Amino acid sequence: MADPTMSPPNQSQLNVAASTTQRRQHHLNLESLAPSPSSSEHVNRLINSNHYISPSRPIYSDRFIPCRSSSNFALFNISLPSPSATAGSSPGDGGKEDNPNAYAALLRNALFGPQTPDKKDWGAGAGGRNIFRYKTETRQSMHSLSPFGFDGLSGPGVSNVAIKAPRKVSRSPYKVLDAPALHDDFYLNLVDWSSHNVLAVGLGTCVYLWNACSSKVTKLCDLGNDDGVCSVGWAHRGTHLAVGTSNGKVQIWDASRCKRIRIMEGHRLRVGALAWSSSMLSSGSRDKSILQRDIRAQEDFVSKLSGHKSEVCGLKWSYDNRELASGGNDNRLFVWNQHSTQPVLKYCEHTAAVKAIAWSPHLHGLLASGGGTADRCIRFWNTTTNSHLSCMDTGSQVCNLVWSKNVNELVSTHGYSQNQIIVWRYPTMSKLATLTGHTYRVLYLAISPDGQTIVTGAGDETLRFWNVFPSPKSQTLLVRSFLGCFSMGKEGGKCAHNLEVISVRMEFISLVFSNQPRT
């Protein structure tokens, strides 16, 4: 029986009811406006919740997806990508600025700068280059990575410090001297610079002295037609010069008086390497031996070091005079102490003769060595821990090495096939300069007493002088500048919040402590 309070349904209501019943039966539309869903329809809505839109209440989600169409990109100091940047987007993106490609481009520009290549361009646009190569032209300020621009917006107490530019090294020698009869022999050591600023050079059978202050040239000695100069080496005081001869003898000369003091024998073949340690003189020969000589003793030598299987062509004492490094034509690098007659350390990684040897004046036990034509590598060793630190392939025969005492840098000279001179920054081994000019392999190298100038000699019979290192005075000013900046930051607080200033301070601290030779 019908309820009298309710009016009979009209024809439109019956049509709506019939349509609703049909949609429920076939489950064709889950977005219908049914007043009270059944339990099965409720389950379907939960399963397909991402397709269901409620007509009566807003949608809430558990993650935030921003709408970048209303973002203020001017705040980030970046520009929208060009149409070509989004050309590879899918048709479904519709060219909108909030599509994934546009967002990736904006994020890449904000973090890495506008010059960063797109990922899709790496394979085709690289052109065989090393894409991980460090490029100085992309170096940016630390503040440039912040989305809040700091250009002209530095707050009080923050100072902008420019990034330090690489030091300029002159590519041309400031002086060139003729050196006739300078032998083109890899195993000889014919150039050395004294602490009194006098250069000794062995030319044929003679030894000449060139005073760097007055440019005066003095002929020290002539060994005669039956002998020849194979090596020269100044004592630490700079008054006495040792001369190794092709007859296997070592002569000691007083350079101030041009007088020979003593002749020492013991080697059977030519003496191509000399190294001083206080009053001790070490000599290496083609007879494979190293003789330790005390010029105060009457004997020609006090001990004999045996270990090399071929000619000894490189000898260097450490700065504390406790260790002697020797290199030979047997591709071996040995380290000896003051009391041993056998090497205490043996390094066999080189594949060619080891003539180039240099001890670091900045770090105790750090030794560098270079190999010949078949090796071409500079290797670094820690003799304290007996470990191989690193290796750098230079591409050319390594003839000489010398470390700067003013900065943590070193110079290498090379032969086959580029005949170049390279200034390296240690420990990164980045090239500061490559110097060319010699037409033959650069077999000889010496450094001035102030540590600022090097002289190189080659088979082209020339000596070339290069300014490659900063002077000790500039290093003192550098330290004073650091101390002044440190006190200013401590008292006034002007540098306290600047990360670049902190980085510069740490570089100064490293410089101050690394430039103190261990004694």
Side-chain angles (χ1 to χ4, degrees):
M1 184 175 181
D3 189 350
T5 61
M6 299 181 62
S7 61
N10 55 28
Q11 185 62 33
S12 62
Q13 291 176 335
L14 292 176
N15 292 338
V16 171
S19 175
T20 303
T21 304
Q22 184 179 4
R23 291 175 181 175
R24 289 180 179 176
Q25 290 175 353
H26 294 87
H27 300 284
L28 296 178
N29 189 355
L30 296 178
E31 298 178 359
S32 62
L33 302 177
S36 58
S38 62
S39 60
S40 61
E41 185 179 5
H42 179 68
V43 173
N44 289 333
R45 289 182 177 179
L46 291 178
I47 295 175
N48 300 278
S49 60
N50 57 334
H51 300 292
Y52 176 72
I53 302 176
S54 174
S56 59
R57 58 182 179 179
I59 298 175
Y60 297 97
S61 175
D62 60 345
R63 65 192 185 101
F64 173 69
I65 303 177
C67 179
R68 281 171 289 279
S69 61
S70 60
S71 299
N72 184 8
F73 291 101
L75 177 64
F76 295 87
N77 196 23
I78 55 179
S79 60
L80 290 176
S82 60
S84 61
T86 58
S89 60
S90 61
D93 294 338
K96 297 180 181 179
E97 61 188 26
D98 58 343
N99 66 68
N101 291 335
Y103 175 68
L106 291 173
L107 183 62
R108 182 172 63 253
N109 289 345
L111 292 180
F112 304 110
Q115 302 300 326
T116 305
D118 197 359
K119 182 178 180 181
K120 65 178 181 294
D121 299 330
W122 288 356
R129 296 179 301 168
N130 182 4
I131 61 175
F132 299 107
R133 180 180 58 185
Y134 175 78
K135 298 173 64 178
T136 55
E137 59 268 21
T138 61
R139 189 174 182 182
Q140 304 178 25
S141 169
M142 298 175 66
H143 292 315
S144 66
L145 300 181
S146 172
F148 307 102
F150 276 81
D151 297 338
L153 299 178
S154 299
V158 179
S159 61
N160 292 324
V161 179
I163 298 175
K164 184 180 178 182
R167 179 168 54 84
K168 298 294 184 181
V169 178
S170 176
R171 266 43 175 194
S172 302
Y174 71 88
K175 185 185 292 291
V176 179
L177 299 179
D178 289 329
L182 185 62
H183 288 305
D184 184 26
D185 193 327
F186 177 81
Y187 302 99
L188 305 185
N189 294 272
L190 298 176
V191 177
D192 197 20
W193 209 327
S194 77
S195 58
H196 288 178
N197 211 12
V198 177
L199 188 69
V201 184
L203 302 177
T205 62
C206 302
V207 177
Y208 291 88
L209 305 180
W210 179 78
N211 191 309
C213 298
S214 61
S215 298
K216 179 182 178 181
V217 178
T218 303
K219 183 177 180 179
L220 179 67
C221 64
D222 188 345
L223 302 182
N225 296 330
D226 298 332
D227 208 347
V229 180
C230 297
S231 56
V232 294
W234 284 102
H236 291 170
R237 294 183 177 180
T239 56
H240 291 79
L241 180 70
V243 179
T245 70
S246 57
N247 287 339
K249 299 178 182 179
V250 176
Q251 300 183 6
I252 308 297
W253 286 78
D254 185 343
S256 60
R257 298 184 296 167
C258 293
K259 181 179 180 180
R260 187 177 63 192
I261 298 176
R262 188 172 180 181
I263 298 178
M264 295 178 162
E265 300 183 355
H267 288 297
R268 296 179 289 103
L269 299 173
R270 68 178 185 181
V271 181
L274 296 169
W276 285 89
S277 170
S278 186
S279 60
M280 293 290 296
L281 173 64
S282 303
S283 60
S285 172
R286 181 178 273 184
D287 64 10
K288 312 172 188 177
S289 66
I290 301 172
L291 296 182
Q292 302 283 56
R293 310 173 187 271
D294 189 343
I295 61 175
R296 300 168 300 181
Q298 295 182 352
E299 297 81 11
D300 286 335
F301 60 93
V302 295
S303 63
K304 183 177 182 179
L305 311 182
S306 302
H308 284 285
K309 303 301 182 183
S310 188
E311 180 173 8
V312 179
C313 51
L315 280 178
K316 284 292 171 62
W317 278 97
S318 62
Y319 282 86
D320 58 7
N321 294 326
R322 295 181 180 179
E323 294 178 307
L324 173 68
S326 64
N329 197 29
D330 54 0
N331 310 343
R332 300 290 188 265
L333 174 67
F334 294 157
V335 178
W336 320 72
N337 61 28
Q338 294 174 317
H339 309 291
S340 66
T341 57
Q342 295 294 323
V344 294
L345 298 175
K346 297 182 180 181
Y347 300 120
C348 306
E349 281 74 5
H350 284 291
T351 57
V354 182
K355 176 191 177 185
I357 300 173
W359 291 93
S360 170
H362 311 296
L363 186 62
H364 175 71
L366 178 56
L367 175 65
S369 60
T373 307
D375 184 83
R376 305 181 304 275
C377 292
I378 300 176
R379 297 179 182 270
F380 295 91
W381 319 86
N382 187 333
T383 61
T384 303
T385 60
N386 189 21
S387 58
H388 182 201
L389 300 178
S390 60
C391 175
M392 169 61 68
D393 190 343
T394 66
S396 296
Q397 174 189 42
V398 184
C399 302
N400 290 280
L401 288 170
V402 66
W403 222 297
S404 169
K405 62 183 181 180
N406 299 335
V407 289
N408 200 8
E409 299 170 3
L410 67 158
V411 168
S412 60
T413 68
H414 300 269
Y416 304 124
S417 57
Q418 301 180 38
N419 306 327
Q420 77 273 40
I421 304 161
I422 303 178
V423 184
W424 308 86
R425 177 182 284 117
Y426 187 82
T428 61
M429 290 304 288
S430 57
K431 292 183 181 180
L432 289 175
T434 299
L435 313 177
T436 57
H438 285 291
T439 57
Y440 282 65
R441 50 185 180 170
V442 189
L443 297 176
Y444 310 110
L445 172 67
I447 189 168
S448 62
D450 63 2
Q452 188 176 359
T453 303
I454 62 170
V455 59
T456 57
D460 57 12
E461 299 185 345
T462 63
L463 296 174
R464 298 173 185 264
F465 295 79
W466 318 77
N467 281 323
V468 296
F469 296 128
S471 64
K473 182 179 180 180
S474 65
Q475 298 304 306
T476 304
L477 294 176
L478 203 62
V479 174
R480 290 178 180 176
S481 299
F482 158 67
L483 295 177
C485 179
F486 182 80
S487 62
M488 180 183 66
K490 183 177 179 181
E491 297 176 4
K494 295 182 179 180
C495 302
H497 303 290
N498 193 313
L499 295 178
E500 290 184 351
V501 172
I502 294 175
S503 176
V504 172
R505 290 178 182 175
M506 296 306 298
E507 183 178 348
F508 282 137
I509 292 174
S510 175
L511 176 67
V512 171
F513 287 98
S514 65
N515 284 342
Q516 301 300 323
R518 298 294 184 91
T519 58

